[in-house]
Amino acid sequence: MAGAHTVFNGTGTVKWNGNNHCVLPEWWGVNVSASSATNLAGVNAMHAAITAGDRGACIFWSTKAYTFSGAWTAITKNNIRHIGAGGASLGTWFIFENTTGDDITFSNCQHCSVEFISFIYYAKKTSGYSIKFDLMSWSYIRNCSFYYGYNGINVCRSSETQVTDVMFRNLAGTRGLLFNGTGSGTNSSYRMVVRNLMGATAPPIGSINDVTHIKGNWAVSTAYVLEDVVVANGKIWM
C-alpha cells in the first residue's frame, strides 16, 4: 500500500476497485499542510472514486488536524468507514471552517461509520450538525468527541444505528444527539443503541428555546423530561 503522500493528481477519473480497500486521504492531497480548500476538494474526490468503484473502503486518518473550508459532499456509498487515530489531545482532528449547515452527511446507504475522530471548531457555528445520518441502516458513530460546534449528531429516518463512547462539549446549539423521524415507512427512524454518551457544560439559559424547561432546583416530586435543565448539588444537569 502506498504511503501517506499524494498519488492522484491532475485530470482524469479514479475508480476504486479491487481487493485493497484500505485508503489514505493523503493520496488525494488531503494533508495537515494543505489549504482547507485543497483538503475539501481532495476528500470529495476520494469519495467520488470510492463511489465509482464496486465496494466501499476503510479510510484511515493520521494523528493530525485536518482543516476543511466547507461541508463535505454527501456520502452515498455503502461500507464507507472513516477511522481516526483516537483521542482529542493527540489524535485525529477535523476542523470545519463553514459556520452554517451540516458538516458530514451520510445519505441512503448502510454499514458506514465515523470512529476515533474529534470535531473541533474555531469559527463560531450558528446552525447544523457535525454528523448527519439520513436514510441509513446498520451504521455507527463511536469514540468521537465534539467541541465548540453547534449541534452534534442527527440520526434521521434511519434504522439500527449505534452511538458509542461519544462526548459533546461547549456546543452552541441545544442538541447533542437527535433521534429524528416521524410517520411510517421511509420517514421514520427505528431502533438506536446509545452507550456511554457524555456531555460537559450545559448550554446557557439564553440558548434554550423553551424557557419552560428551566426547572431550577431538583425536587423528587417533579417528573422531568430530557430537555429540562435542573440544579442539584451545586451543578447544572440537563
Side-chain angles (χ1 to χ4, degrees):
M1 189 172 76
H5 54 78
T6 301
V7 175
F8 306 110
N9 199 1
T11 59
T13 301
V14 177
K15 186 176 181 181
W16 196 255
N17 284 328
N19 294 322
N20 185 0
H21 297 291
C22 297
V23 171
L24 300 182
E26 282 82 1
W27 297 349
W28 282 267
V30 180
N31 203 296
V32 64
S33 61
S35 70
S36 59
T38 296
N39 283 343
L40 179 62
V43 79
N44 287 336
M46 175 183 69
H47 287 137
I50 297 169
T51 301
D54 59 352
R55 306 180 191 179
C58 292
I59 301 155
F60 290 96
W61 297 82
S62 301
T63 307
K64 298 177 181 178
Y66 298 88
T67 304
F68 304 98
S69 59
W72 294 1
T73 300
I75 298 166
T76 58
K77 183 76 170 182
N78 295 342
N79 302 304
I80 290 184
R81 298 175 61 192
H82 284 275
I83 303 172
S89 60
L90 298 173
T92 302
W93 294 15
F94 281 0
I95 303 169
F96 285 88
E97 295 178 338
N98 51 300
T99 58
T100 60
D102 303 319
D103 300 322
I104 298 177
T105 299
F106 291 81
S107 180
N108 200 22
C109 47
Q110 59 186 346
H111 299 290
C112 296
S113 70
V114 180
E115 309 170 54
F116 299 98
I117 294 171
S118 293
F119 292 73
I120 299 174
Y121 297 84
Y122 297 133
K124 182 181 178 180
K125 289 207 70 172
T126 58
S127 69
Y129 288 81
S130 296
I131 301 174
K132 182 178 181 179
F133 279 178
D134 187 25
L135 290 171
M136 298 291 294
S137 58
W138 300 106
S139 297
Y140 55 91
I141 298 166
R142 66 178 184 180
N143 292 95
C144 290
S145 301
F146 302 83
Y147 299 88
Y148 308 106
Y150 193 73
N151 291 318
I153 300 168
N154 183 357
V155 178
C156 179
R157 303 184 297 174
S158 298
S159 62
E160 305 294 355
T161 306
Q162 293 188 35
V163 178
T164 305
D165 295 316
V166 166
M167 183 179 73
F168 307 105
R169 186 170 184 179
N170 295 99
L171 299 184
T174 58
R175 295 183 175 96
L177 173 62
L178 176 65
F179 188 51
N180 195 16
T182 59
S184 60
T186 58
N187 288 323
S188 64
S189 286
Y190 174 73
R191 197 155 53 191
M192 178 171 66
V193 176
V194 180
R195 298 186 182 95
N196 199 22
L197 186 71
M198 297 167 283
T201 311
I205 289 176
S207 71
I208 298 176
N209 295 329
D210 186 352
V211 295
T212 61
H213 288 297
I214 309 300
K215 298 297 184 180
N217 292 323
W218 179 83
V220 69
S221 59
T222 302
Y224 297 101
V225 296
L226 280 176
E227 294 86 355
D228 289 343
V229 175
V230 181
V231 177
N233 298 324
K235 299 180 179 179
I236 298 175
W237 303 85
M238 185 176 187

